[in-house]
Amino acid sequence: MTALPDPSLQPDAFLSALHTAADPDRAARDAGCVLHGLGAEAGADPAATARLHAAGARAIAATLARGASPLLLLAQADRPDDAYAAALVEGLMGYERIHVGLQDGWRMILVLPPTGQNAYWRV
């Protein structure tokens, strides 16, 4: 398996490379990420689901400790959904430690730990 870019140093390149990995779960774990699945109810409104995912990612970013492993939230979607993508990006606007990868039917949200003082709580 080819080594992926470091998620902490090149998060967008990491997510792009992860989309092409034969086993994204294993590749992410090998890169040092902790994985959690993104849940969604069948038939749920895609924009509402994206807002829920964004809220969860923001909560994680606000509490993730310095030195923690990057956290990758992921799910395989049936098809790309513009409403989901737009609502997710809007819900995460301004969070520089959260990166999104949406392509080829994958939904990936990478939450990186703070490198300095946690700006969310000032600790």
Side-chain angles (χ1 to χ4, degrees):
M1 177 184 312
T2 305
L4 298 175
D6 185 320
S8 296
L9 300 176
Q10 298 176 294
D12 295 326
F14 170 76
L15 289 171
S16 291
L18 200 56
H19 282 113
T20 62
D23 184 350
D25 289 4
R26 180 173 173 216
R29 283 190 186 95
D30 289 348
C33 292
V34 174
L35 272 66
H36 287 282
L38 283 171
E41 294 179 27
D45 173 32
T49 299
R51 287 189 292 273
L52 182 64
H53 289 168
R58 290 190 315 262
I60 291 166
T63 58
L64 199 58
R66 262 190 314 265
S69 296
L71 181 68
L72 182 66
L73 308 169
L74 76 159
Q76 200 160 14
D78 294 338
R79 58 184 162 65
D81 191 305
D82 293 337
Y84 177 90
L88 184 65
V89 169
E90 181 181 327
L92 296 175
M93 204 171 290
Y95 286 80
E96 70 279 351
R97 303 297 293 166
I98 302 175
H99 299 267
V100 175
L102 303 171
Q103 73 185 60
D104 299 331
W106 283 99
R107 295 174 175 172
M108 298 182 182
I109 303 171
L110 178 64
V111 182
L112 300 174
T115 55
Q117 183 181 49
N118 188 329
Y120 302 108
W121 294 106
R122 303 275 188 246
V123 293

